Amino acid sequence: MGGMLAVMNSPAENNYVASKLMGATAYIGLHDRNVEGFFEWVDNSPLSFTNWYPGQPNNANGDQDYGELLPDGTWNDQYNDCLREFICEVPCYEIKQIAGPLADHFSHAVLPK
């Protein structure tokens, strides 16, 4: 359906998504699988802010390349084989009216009581 792991573009967006985790951790679209220590988003957008948990990312055992969102909104680097929930973004589509009465016909309508 054209979705991908979520990209956090702002602290507000990050906090909103974290508030929906209900105590779980979840993969987001952050990784350093291409160049160790250089984290990037799956959509190649700029990493405009970071919110790492203290001491992270630490690349434990030299094999943590994927970002996860913790319930408090901070990030951790994680192994690729850990089972986690995930947060995805899917594209929205513009809806165009192709039939029926025009919307502005209803903006001035008076409905009987």
Side-chain angles (χ1 to χ4, degrees), residues 51-82:
N51 199 30
W52 293 108
Y53 186 81
Q56 299 299 327
N58 65 358
N59 198 32
N61 298 316
D63 196 25
Q64 290 186 319
D65 294 326
Y66 299 91
E68 70 178 336
L69 180 64
L70 304 177
D72 68 356
T74 58
W75 305 343
N76 178 48
D77 58 333
Q78 188 53 269
Y79 303 104
N80 68 343
D81 59 356
C82 288

Side-chain angles (χ1 to χ4, degrees), residues 7-89:
V7 173
M8 304 300 171
N9 295 308
S10 70
E13 180 180 17
N14 187 80
N15 293 339
Y16 174 79
V17 172
S19 75
K20 307 303 178 195
L21 290 179
M22 300 187 314
T25 62
Y27 283 115
I28 55 177
L30 189 63
H31 68 88
D32 72 343
R33 67 179 175 243
N34 296 325
V35 178
E36 183 56 45
F38 178 75
F39 280 87
E40 56 188 327
W41 293 113
V42 293
D43 70 350
N44 298 314
S45 63
L47 189 59
S48 55
F49 86 102
T50 60
N51 199 30
W52 293 108
Y53 186 81
Q56 299 299 327
N58 65 358
N59 198 32
N61 298 316
D63 196 25
Q64 290 186 319
D65 294 326
Y66 299 91
E68 70 178 336
L69 180 64
L70 304 177
D72 68 356
T74 58
W75 305 343
N76 178 48
D77 58 333
Q78 188 53 269
Y79 303 104
N80 68 343
D81 59 356
C82 288
L83 295 178
R84 296 285 187 270
E85 294 186 11
F86 51 91
I87 310 290
C88 283
E89 297 181 35

